[in-house]
Amino acid sequence: MATFYIEQFGCRATQADGAALERQLLQRGYTAGAKDTADIVVINTCTVTAAADAQARDAIRKIGAKNRSARMIVTGCYAQRAPEELASLPGVAWVVGNSHKPELPQIIENLSSASEPARFVPATSLRWTSLTGSQTQAQILTGEFERKPLLSAPVFGGEANHTRPTLKIQDGCNSRCSYCVIPFVRGKSRSLPPEMVVAEINHLTASGIREIVLSGINIGTYGRDLDPRVTFKNLLRRILDETAIQRLRVSSIEPMDVTQDLVEFFAQERLAQHFHMPLQSGTDRILAAMHRWYRAEQYARRVQVIRECLPQAAIGADVIAGFPGESDDEHRTTLAFIESLPLTYLHIFSFSKRPGTAAAKFNEEVPAHIIKNRARELRDLGERKSAAFRREQVGAKFRVLTLRSNHGDDSRAGELPDAGQPATRSAEYTPALSSNYLRFRVPGAWPANQWLDVRAVSTEGNYLVGELEISLKLDEPVCANTVC
């Protein structure tokens, strides 16, 4: 059988698509290979910014230069938005949009078993790109999303390095924020049926996983497309009732989906006390221009509800710097608004004009150097907020989950150290994560995926230093997931 390699770009949703494809190919008997030698190379792209587009094109050129015999398939959000751009690049055999990602295994099977391009796709579904010179004709497969199945498989890796998998339970978006290209490249909101979510989580917990991160493009709309309709809270309740997962974390949720009822539900021990709510701007005029469905006061109220119900919860926000027409005064208003809120961290994005979006046609573009300065000021504010939150936690007790270290020998990961002692490795500390998204360094080299009770004794850079209180057995259930 042919070998394959998947080059990943972009958000967790894109990574989940890649994980699902990898699972399907392995099930069909293909073997994962190296980028420079694989027979089939899939480039799974992002298009959220112009920089993401440039990174994808650069990767295609470099892979084509190093692995000239590979059949390259470009897919993902960039492939859906601008397939002709990608089809014109040397070495590209197929460009497959998100709308037709479920057909990728069959395309790959045809590519690896025949010299002729695949012919199973209806001619009406194809758009052909005429290329010159020695470059063979790349085939393009994009179209409407219709009722395409939702691709989903756990994503291992990233910040937790295989300890905390991410499971995509929703894709697409029915909103039309003026700056965002996602609805055009991922289609309308689609949900993974709850029984499939439960089955996937049960499979992960049976393999020893203790924390899972639920993700989606607009996760608060989960289940509204299903029949019968299911709410996000109902899904969470079913997961807690029907699985043994010890900690469940939500990646991001829109402010208007954060209700008092939902926040109160998060007070139970197995749900991570962590809310990430995109803000984008602290001024009502800019929020209206962005086509956001809330205003600053409504956002502030939801932050306060979280803080009142869950005093130690992590509350993060996305903010866009330099949206068209944003004045210096409005930027300062956003800074002051964020300063007034008990946010614990920020993700800052510089505005990037995306073709096809309403904001791409707006006048009064903010100069690049001003956007850069505003983004720097927002990041500085976010760092100060994060540092203040860490300092507030010194002296408190936490139950943390150890993560896989990036250094030293971790061959004993998942095993209990002898007599409750750290594993014998050369590392001086073990990274760990609390329910409220605080990163810890615990002295010693503990195996990954283990619960530890620690006391925060000091701060060290972006970490808290945790002093060990109790070491838990790996099969011991979590009885207290919140700050003591």
Side-chain angles (χ1 to χ4, degrees):
M1 293 291 287
T3 59
F4 72 92
Y5 178 84
I6 302 175
E7 181 85 338
Q8 296 274 38
F9 292 92
C11 66
R12 286 171 169 166
T14 300
Q15 293 168 13
D17 294 344
L21 176 61
E22 180 179 15
R23 173 190 280 182
Q24 291 171 323
L25 294 179
L26 292 173
Q27 289 172 343
R28 289 180 179 228
Y30 292 91
T31 302
K35 177 165 48 177
D36 295 345
T37 59
D39 301 309
I40 304 289
V41 176
V42 180
I43 297 93
N44 196 16
T45 63
C46 171
T47 193
V48 70
T49 64
D53 292 347
Q55 289 172 357
R57 293 192 300 269
D58 184 59
I60 292 167
R61 293 188 183 99
K62 288 180 177 177
I63 292 171
K66 291 185 177 181
N67 187 357
R68 294 183 180 276
S69 62
R71 303 302 300 275
M72 276 196 290
I73 301 173
V74 185
T75 187
C77 294
Y78 190 1
Q80 183 72 25
R81 184 186 66 79
E84 290 85 359
E85 289 181 18
L86 297 169
S88 67
L89 297 176
V92 175
W94 276 85
V95 179
V96 181
N98 284 332
S99 59
H100 287 73
K101 261 184 178 174
E103 297 174 41
L104 276 171
Q106 186 62 53
I107 293 173
I108 291 171
E109 186 170 320
N110 285 347
L111 275 177
S112 60
S113 63
S115 58
E116 289 291 318
R119 300 188 183 282
F120 72 95
V121 180
T124 55
S125 298
L126 292 175
R127 288 190 285 150
W128 296 85
T129 301
S130 297
L131 301 173
T132 59
S134 61
Q135 171 68 27
T136 58
Q137 192 174 50
Q139 297 192 62
I140 295 174
L141 182 55
T142 63
E144 299 298 323
F145 283 84
E146 300 172 348
R147 292 300 303 171
K148 299 290 182 180
L150 176 62
L151 291 176
S152 185
V155 177
F156 292 85
E159 63 184 17
N161 197 11
H162 306 295
T163 306
R164 301 163 49 245
T166 296
L167 179 62
K168 184 179 74 173
I169 63 169
Q170 182 274 337
D171 201 351
C173 185
N174 296 342
S175 299
R176 288 294 183 271
C177 296
S178 64
Y179 54 83
C180 186
V181 74
I182 295 302
F184 305 104
V185 298
R186 286 197 167 270
K188 293 183 178 180
S189 180
R190 305 179 306 286
S191 307
L192 194 66
E195 58 272 14
M196 294 182 67
V197 177
V198 168
E200 194 69 70
I201 292 176
N202 276 326
H203 176 75
L204 289 168
T205 55
S207 69
I209 294 298
R210 285 167 172 76
E211 177 175 322
I212 293 172
V213 183
L214 298 181
S215 74
I217 297 297
N218 191 348
I219 204 169
T221 64
Y222 174 87
R224 297 177 190 176
D225 60 306
L226 298 177
D227 186 16
R229 181 171 168 148
V230 180
T231 68
F232 183 50
K233 181 184 172 185
N234 287 342
L235 174 69
L236 294 177
R237 181 181 288 110
R238 184 166 174 179
I239 292 171
L240 296 181
D241 289 344
E242 299 180 25
T243 78
I245 189 64
Q246 296 176 12
R247 180 183 289 167
L248 194 64
R249 191 179 300 271
V250 176
S251 62
S252 179
I253 186 167
E254 286 291 322
M256 298 308 288
D257 293 318
V258 179
T259 63
Q260 176 99 26
D261 187 49
L262 182 67
V263 174
E264 291 174 351
F265 186 74
F266 267 72
Q268 52 194 303
E269 58 195 18
R270 291 165 64 197
L271 292 175
Q273 295 194 358
H274 176 195
F275 289 82
H276 185 94
M277 296 193 304
L279 168 61
Q280 312 306 8
S281 176
T283 65
D284 288 348
R285 190 187 73 84
I286 295 297
L287 288 172
M290 290 178 168
H291 298 173
R292 300 292 286 170
W293 286 28
Y294 56 86
R295 297 298 177 259
E297 183 179 352
Q298 293 170 307
Y299 187 94
R301 177 55 190 153
R302 279 150 179 79
V303 172
Q304 292 302 331
V305 166
I306 296 171
R307 184 57 69 235
E308 290 165 5
C309 294
L310 305 170
Q312 300 299 327
I315 310 174
D318 297 333
V319 186
I320 295 176
F323 187 80
E326 181 187 57
S327 67
D328 289 339
D329 285 344
E330 286 169 324
H331 170 63
R332 285 191 289 270
T333 297
T334 293
L335 289 171
F337 178 71
I338 294 171
E339 187 72 66
S340 72
L341 298 176
L343 298 175
T344 61
Y345 68 91
L346 300 176
H347 289 168
I348 307 304
F349 302 88
S350 296
F351 176 77
S352 179
K353 182 190 295 186
R354 297 285 75 207
T357 62
K361 302 175 184 178
F362 289 177
N363 297 321
E364 300 182 82
E365 290 187 29
V366 179
H369 72 280
I370 294 179
I371 292 179
K372 183 178 180 179
N373 289 337
R374 291 178 183 176
R376 185 185 66 249
E377 291 177 356
L378 286 163
R379 290 191 182 96
D380 289 345
L381 175 57
E383 290 173 4
R384 293 197 301 273
K385 287 274 187 182
S386 296
F389 185 55
R390 287 191 295 271
R391 288 193 299 270
E392 291 170 2
Q393 310 308 311
V394 173
K397 296 180 182 179
F398 297 83
R399 179 153 294 177
V400 298
L401 183 68
T402 56
L403 308 178
R404 195 177 301 276
S405 176
N406 289 324
H407 54 280
D409 173 24
D410 202 23
S411 60
R412 295 188 63 192
E415 300 178 15
L416 272 174
D418 298 332
Q421 296 301 311
T424 303
R425 289 197 278 122
S426 59
E428 297 179 354
Y429 66 87
T430 298
L433 191 71
S434 69
S435 170
N436 60 342
Y437 207 52
L438 288 166
R439 300 172 188 275
F440 276 79
R441 286 179 172 173
V442 182
W446 298 90
N449 201 37
Q450 180 173 352
W451 295 115
L452 297 175
D453 280 353
V454 301
R455 183 187 298 275
V457 294
S458 64
T459 63
E460 186 177 293
N462 293 329
Y463 290 81
L464 282 164
V465 177
E467 183 179 86
L468 188 66
E469 293 272 312
I470 302 172
S471 171
L472 299 179
K473 293 182 180 180
L474 288 178
D475 58 355
E476 183 175 339
V478 178
C479 59
N481 195 8
T482 59
V483 178
C484 298

